[in-house]
Amino acid sequence: MELLSRSFFSFSVMPICLLLMAAFSRTVECRFQTGGRVTAGGQDGGGQTVGESKYEATSCRAHTASLTDFGGVGDGITLNSKAFQAAVEHLAQFSGDGGGLLYVPPGRWLTGPFNLTSCMTLFLHHDAVILATQDINEWPIIDPLPSYGRGRDAPGGRYSSLIMGFNLTDVIITGDNGTVDGQGDFWWAKFHHKQLKYTRGYLVELQHSDQIFISNLLFLNSPSWNIHPVYSSNIVVKGITISAPVHSPNTDGINPDSCSHVRIEDSYIVSGDDCVAIKSGWDEYGIAVGMPSEHIIIRRLTCISPTSATIALGSEMSGGIQDVRAEDITAIDTESGVRIKTAIGRGGFVRDIFVRRMTLHTMKWVFWMTGNYNSHPDGKYNPEAIPDIEGINYSHVVAENVTTAGRLEGIEKAPFKGICISNVSVEVRKAKKTAWVCENVEGVSSGVMPAPCDALKDEGMEATDCPFREDRLPIEDVEVKDCSLPFSYSL
């Protein structure tokens, strides 16, 4: 994304969001091939619906059904939970026969939580809105995740997520920039007033699943986290927009959790928490499950989150996090660029992290890592479970209007090691505070301005860049196909 002038920051966050969203939506809008020509949405200029519509996905389906075939009513008032459930049950029969696509046509489709099935595509028309009900009685209580031992907000169970899936293979959630709206203000108010007995649900949670593709949709106002694949693999999230008020509680954007082979790209996130947060379980529960998050690619991401990080590793990282590659990242009015969060009792590791080409505007910290993030699920954690943080590499970062370049705080007697920072330019706002704060860390630096603390040994301007893994991961070679909707696509 083109760099913005400093005068840009005289505007409030909301105009920034609107301008960037408008620009970004033009970049990621799905284009449909209709009747032999490319149009946006399946009309031939004059408003006439023509031909057959095409979309991009990792799998094309042999069978298609519309939500209206199962009694769905898109008036924003009628509850469609049973219609979604019936449609998914119908399409489940085709999992061994080419799979099925559920088409959500224009309308506001009020619903409670529902599950997807294997070999299924959920496709939203540009003017379709899946609208989460605010009737709390429609949200089932489900068990906590084994790697957390309890709900994230409160002990015990948790509310179901809006769109769920368990033990699935080949599941696609896509469309022509349709919308999934969690109507989260209802949940945020109850959370702030401590009126919830259970943990809030997410917009999308897929567990123990393989081959997940999420693209070309707008996710709005989630009750809590937006996209949460957990214990899953071979995941592509691309071309999506996530938006929530910047002070909404815990509205993380994309949270791969004990997942492997993940690709996140070409997405725009405005949220009240981390834009991308990589996790792998909480204290003794995450250690027991022992499923790391690994082989993760994040690229061409734009983030606005004034109180949180562009990319966070942790704090729930007890199963380990390794081989994360992030590049071409833009963040505006975001608390930190990259943040590593852990604590004594977490155990696990964060290692082999590679970040390059970040452009950052208006930050509190560019680099932030802490071993003192002392939130625990209970008092049963092992104080001898010390996390291992090693091999953290940042290069080619430009940041302006920053309070502190780096706040690097490891753990006494277990320092964070192998930190490398190269070719970094940070414009620090005039302040009495030092540009760098370093405790219990070890590493090297090269070409960093302002000069970092002595713990990051200066190797000189001519030193080699920090490493970035260049070997190609299999998730980068996942094939995206042109698929057809077997009926006319109309606005």
Side-chain angles (χ1 to χ4, degrees):
M1 181 173 288
E2 188 180 38
L3 298 184
L4 306 176
S5 67
R6 293 182 191 176
S7 62
F8 186 87
F9 296 97
S10 63
F11 295 95
S12 66
V13 171
M14 186 53 66
I16 291 173
C17 297
L18 293 174
L19 287 169
L20 280 176
M21 288 181 72
F24 194 85
S25 65
R26 287 194 295 271
T27 302
V28 302
E29 182 177 2
C30 186
R31 305 291 290 184
F32 287 81
Q33 173 124 13
T34 311
R37 57 178 295 185
V38 175
T39 67
Q43 288 191 328
D44 189 12
Q48 298 297 314
T49 303
V50 293
E52 188 178 71
S53 303
K54 291 189 176 181
Y55 65 97
E56 289 187 339
T58 47
S59 297
C60 303
R61 308 304 185 192
H63 304 271
T64 302
S66 172
L67 188 61
T68 55
D69 297 339
F70 302 88
V73 179
D75 59 5
I77 300 172
T78 304
L79 191 67
N80 291 283
S81 304
K82 292 183 178 179
F84 275 106
Q85 292 163 5
V88 173
E89 289 173 5
H90 169 76
L91 293 172
Q93 67 180 307
F94 303 119
S95 61
D97 183 28
L101 179 146
L102 176 58
Y103 173 66
V104 183
R108 293 173 62 80
W109 307 91
L110 185 70
T111 183
F114 61 93
N115 291 335
L116 303 181
T117 190
S118 290
C119 302
M120 176 184 171
T121 298
L122 177 65
F123 183 98
L124 278 66
H125 182 280
H126 179 79
D127 295 320
V129 180
I130 293 179
L131 197 63
T133 180
Q134 292 187 324
D135 181 353
I136 199 168
N137 295 315
E138 293 291 328
W139 293 76
I141 307 301
I142 62 175
D143 291 336
L145 292 167
S147 56
Y148 284 72
R150 50 162 278 178
R152 193 62 186 82
D153 293 345
R158 58 201 181 103
Y159 290 101
S160 171
S161 296
L162 181 65
I163 301 173
M164 294 280 290
F166 304 87
N167 301 304
L168 304 183
T169 301
D170 185 11
V171 60
I172 296 170
I173 304 172
T174 190
D176 179 21
N177 293 307
T179 300
V180 180
D181 187 344
Q183 297 204 100
D185 55 340
F186 162 83
W187 295 95
W188 307 329
K190 285 188 172 294
F191 175 78
H192 282 309
H193 290 96
K194 302 185 185 304
Q195 296 174 340
L196 292 172
K197 184 178 178 181
Y198 302 103
T199 294
R200 292 161 289 160
Y202 311 139
L203 282 189
V204 177
E205 182 177 86
L206 301 173
Q207 294 187 31
H208 295 288
S209 296
D210 184 57
Q211 301 174 44
I212 297 167
F213 183 77
I214 301 174
S215 72
N216 293 332
L217 292 173
L218 170 61
F219 296 91
L220 289 178
N221 302 321
S222 179
S224 185
W225 301 350
N226 279 266
I227 311 296
H228 183 226
V230 57
Y231 317 136
S232 295
S233 58
N234 297 307
I235 301 157
V236 177
V237 181
K238 63 177 293 186
I240 69 169
T241 297
I242 292 173
S243 181
V246 293
H247 295 293
S248 53
N250 311 117
T251 51
D252 297 43
I254 305 167
N255 288 11
D257 196 341
S258 292
C259 289
S260 64
H261 297 282
V262 181
R263 191 173 101 208
I264 299 168
E265 62 189 13
D266 299 314
S267 293
Y268 171 85
I269 301 171
V270 181
S271 77
D273 213 317
D274 303 320
C275 288
V276 173
I278 300 171
K279 302 177 179 291
S280 65
W282 202 4
D283 286 7
E284 67 271 23
Y285 304 103
I287 293 171
V289 171
M291 289 186 66
S293 281
E294 57 187 353
H295 311 310
I296 296 173
I297 295 170
I298 307 166
R299 56 195 180 196
R300 298 183 299 276
L301 173 76
T302 299
C303 169
I304 297 175
S305 183
T307 61
S308 292
T310 308
I311 298 172
L313 308 172
S315 71
E316 306 91 342
M317 41 63 66
S318 300
I321 297 172
Q322 64 185 357
D323 189 17
V324 177
R325 313 172 189 191
E327 58 185 334
D328 301 315
I329 309 296
T330 299
I332 299 167
D333 194 15
T334 297
E335 186 178 60
S336 57
V338 180
R339 186 178 181 190
I340 298 173
K341 302 182 285 185
T342 188
I344 292 172
R346 289 287 193 274
F349 52 83
V350 177
R351 61 190 180 213
D352 300 331
I353 309 301
F354 308 94
V355 181
R356 67 182 177 186
R357 297 196 299 269
M358 295 187 77
T359 303
L360 311 172
H361 307 265
T362 306
M363 316 291 288
K364 194 170 183 179
W365 300 284
V366 175
F367 309 112
W368 189 8
M369 54 183 70
T370 178
N372 301 305
Y373 202 85
N374 291 315
S375 65
H376 300 283
D378 50 41
K380 300 177 183 179
Y381 67 91
N382 179 6
E384 302 299 320
I386 308 299
D388 177 23
I389 313 300
E390 186 170 6
I392 314 299
N393 302 278
Y394 305 127
S395 64
H396 296 280
V397 177
V398 177
E400 64 177 11
N401 196 25
V402 172
T403 302
T404 303
R407 179 179 169 184
L408 314 179
E409 300 168 318
I411 297 173
E412 188 176 0
K413 298 182 181 179
F416 296 175
K417 298 178 292 184
I419 299 168
C420 179
I421 303 178
S422 69
N423 288 297
V424 170
S425 176
V426 180
E427 178 199 80
V428 178
R429 292 192 289 263
K430 291 182 179 180
K432 294 181 180 179
K433 294 182 179 180
T434 182
W436 291 83
V437 177
C438 300
E439 297 177 2
N440 301 308
V441 295
E442 301 172 2
V444 298
S445 63
S446 172
V448 178
M449 294 295 295
C453 45
D454 293 341
L456 302 179
K457 181 182 178 183
D458 188 353
E459 296 192 326
M461 297 294 291
E462 302 303 320
T464 305
D465 266 356
C466 298
F468 190 97
R469 291 194 63 171
E470 301 286 358
D471 58 306
R472 195 168 179 85
L473 292 173
I475 193 65
E476 297 182 79
D477 296 322
V478 170
E479 181 182 359
V480 177
K481 307 172 183 178
D482 282 334
C483 301
S484 298
L485 293 175
F487 47 79
S488 297
Y489 182 96
S490 61
L491 292 174

